[in-house]
Amino acid sequence: QVHLVESGGGWTQPGGSLRLSCAASGSIFSFNDMGWFCQAPGEQRELVATITRGNMTKFAGSVEGRFTISRDNAKNTVYLEMNNLKLEDTAVYYCNVRAHRFYSDFVQGNEYTYWGQGTEVKVAV
């Protein structure tokens, strides 16, 4: 079973910064792509950023140039550095991890998706 622990959420003013962390643990063969999604009240969950094991990154257009995603494979942890935050960034942010559970998953190319419980980010005056 995979356990994801998120931290770093909170409140900041417009233009401020926050750094989110998500530590993954469990009996897993390998953690592959990792990323972050956000969900504002009454809205669908949307992709924010992803990062591969080889550190290839992808960002939503709304955060390009403001957010940075990184990972520490030794710690099975993914980070989201959020800079120049705007009011519309207010949302719950969810960590997302894809993994091969066992060697057989790796051989067959099967990946499983796991979600964190979410951490609240509020940007307000």
Side-chain angles (χ1 to χ4, degrees), residues 3-125:
H3 186 211
L4 305 181
V5 179
E6 299 184 30
S7 62
W11 171 88
T12 191
Q13 299 182 43
S17 298
L18 290 171
R19 186 172 187 257
L20 307 184
S21 298
C22 175
S25 62
S27 183
I28 291 293
F29 180 78
S30 67
F31 292 103
N32 302 322
D33 290 2
M34 308 177 84
W36 295 90
F37 288 69
C38 68
Q39 187 167 19
E43 302 293 331
Q44 296 289 324
R45 191 171 298 185
E46 298 181 344
L47 174 69
V48 176
T50 59
I51 183 169
T52 70
R53 290 188 61 84
N55 291 319
M56 298 298 296
T57 60
K58 180 173 64 178
F59 298 92
S62 59
V63 306
E64 185 78 47
R66 298 191 296 120
F67 292 7
T68 299
I69 188 170
S70 60
R71 64 190 290 166
D72 184 339
N73 290 333
K75 298 179 179 179
N76 294 323
T77 299
V78 61
Y79 307 93
L80 185 69
E81 181 73 32
M82 311 167 71
N83 301 308
N84 192 25
L85 283 159
K86 303 188 292 185
L87 297 178
E88 50 265 44
D89 294 320
T90 297
V92 177
Y93 285 74
Y94 295 90
C95 176
N96 174 268
V97 175
R98 297 181 63 82
H100 297 314
R101 300 170 302 166
F102 327 112
Y103 175 72
S104 60
D105 286 344
F106 165 71
V107 171
Q108 299 178 40
N110 295 328
E111 287 187 314
Y112 288 76
T113 299
Y114 302 92
W115 292 94
Q117 292 300 307
T119 184
E120 295 186 14
V121 170
K122 185 174 182 179
V123 184
V125 179

